[in-house]
Amino acid sequence: MKVLLVANYEPDGQNSMLAFRRVLERELPRQDCEVRVAAPVARVLRLAPSPRWRKWFAYVDKFVLFIPSLVRAARWADVVHVTDHSNAMYVRWLDSRPNVVTCHDVIAIQAARETGADASVGRTGRLFQRLIAKGLGRADLIACVSDLTRRELLALELADAGRVTTVVNGLNDDFSPVPPDEAQRLLARFELAPENGYLLHVGMNLPRKNRPAVVQAFIALHQRAAANGRPALAGTLVFVGPKLSSELVELLRTHGLADRVKAIQDVSHAELRALYSGATALLFPSLQEGFGWPVIEAQASGCPVFTSDLPPMNEIGGPGAVYVDPRDPDAMAAAIEHAAPRLGEMRRLGLENATHYSAAQMAANYVASYRRANTGRGAHP
């Protein structure tokens, strides 16, 4: 089967989507597929006179210059796979071939309709989300990365149920435990000592990522330890992502913990694995996700996980994760404290759970989706 992967524009910096494309590019040939990739190339972007013009110049690359080459590339394929639903507007130019679109979440569409945890979208954003919704409506088959995403897509009436399936994500890179000595070496530049214990959070500074609750839970953990006259289970809190807001820094300063919190950027894959492997636990109390990559990445790296008792987190984390109320930082701290004696068991169960999310199985499921799109083409207008 000849599969054309429609991939993201690299200057947009959507690293998880670029990694998703790479894993399909690697795994599909092992499923007897011949694979080519089509993606917009930065041409006009290089001519942008200032940063504020970059977005508009990038639109020319993505939605003007790319279209003819996409149409030509599609002629070769038996099936076209749009690997990110944010590119679903391309489907209108792909009607000549069976097509599959991966829907990673509907969070931006919900936000454009003023629902969801990140409900703040400008005029251009609302226009794009309408175009994305129309593209999803034209697709032969939509593959959602979790059952939650499928339920939410159907609730928004973006497509008929017969054209929507679930293909659960596989790990999009090599995540496995890093030996302690190697982890300590990789973490040296962050001035972290795993033996002192640290809680880890991985994610952007978006409202739904719930960073304030992470900080408040860390404060509560230290307050509970002080009240009982013993050291906190985790002496440090590490954010992999943007710097903390001034409000959160001030809150930590008020409680005398500002020097115990780090926010680190430009983390390599090897360093991320080491951060997971060396952490006391991942604290991931997200309010809304399409899948929740850090949950599985952490478990595959041997890191205990405390995450939201909300789907999809509580659908993918298995028995190894501890599920918490993401709006109750005191309860999070209590849960971490209570689970301390069984962190080793959480690591073991998490490693077992992560084996259910293999890239090979995901690729096999996509091949089945391609066949379904081909078979159903005659019934789709």
Side-chain angles (χ1 to χ4, degrees), residues 32-158:
D32 295 324
C33 292
E34 186 179 350
V35 176
R36 292 182 184 177
V37 177
V41 176
R43 293 189 176 95
V44 174
L45 181 67
R46 295 192 294 252
L47 306 176
S50 66
R52 73 188 193 89
W53 284 98
R54 284 180 59 85
K55 176 176 75 172
W56 303 102
F57 279 54
Y59 288 163
V60 176
D61 283 334
K62 291 188 281 188
F63 305 120
V64 179
L65 299 182
F66 177 53
I67 302 305
S69 62
L70 174 63
V71 172
R72 288 193 299 271
R75 293 176 189 143
W76 164 84
D78 294 318
V79 65
V80 180
H81 181 178
V82 179
T83 60
D84 179 3
H85 66 278
S86 68
N87 293 322
M89 67 279 289
Y90 292 139
V91 172
R92 63 176 293 190
W93 289 287
L94 300 172
D95 281 344
S96 66
R97 290 292 183 272
N99 54 78
V100 174
V101 178
T102 295
C103 184
H104 295 272
D105 61 65
V106 294
I107 293 170
I109 295 174
Q110 290 172 328
R113 298 182 183 186
E114 299 185 348
T115 62
D118 290 337
S120 178
V121 178
R123 183 184 300 175
T124 304
R126 289 194 297 272
L127 171 62
F128 269 102
Q129 295 310 316
R130 285 197 295 271
L131 292 172
I132 289 167
K134 286 182 180 179
L136 288 168
R138 294 177 69 123
D140 289 321
L141 187 65
I142 302 170
C144 297
V145 300
S146 67
D147 289 332
L148 171 71
T149 296
R150 182 179 186 276
R151 293 194 300 271
E152 291 186 332
L153 183 142
L154 292 174
L156 290 167
E157 299 181 343
L158 297 176

Side-chain angles (χ1 to χ4, degrees), residues 182-205:
E182 184 182 352
Q184 193 157 13
R185 177 181 61 79
L186 287 164
L187 301 180
R189 79 177 180 98
F190 305 124
E191 298 181 347
L192 280 174
E195 65 271 14
N196 295 333
Y198 61 89
L199 285 181
L200 183 66
H201 180 271
V202 177
M204 299 300 289
N205 187 22

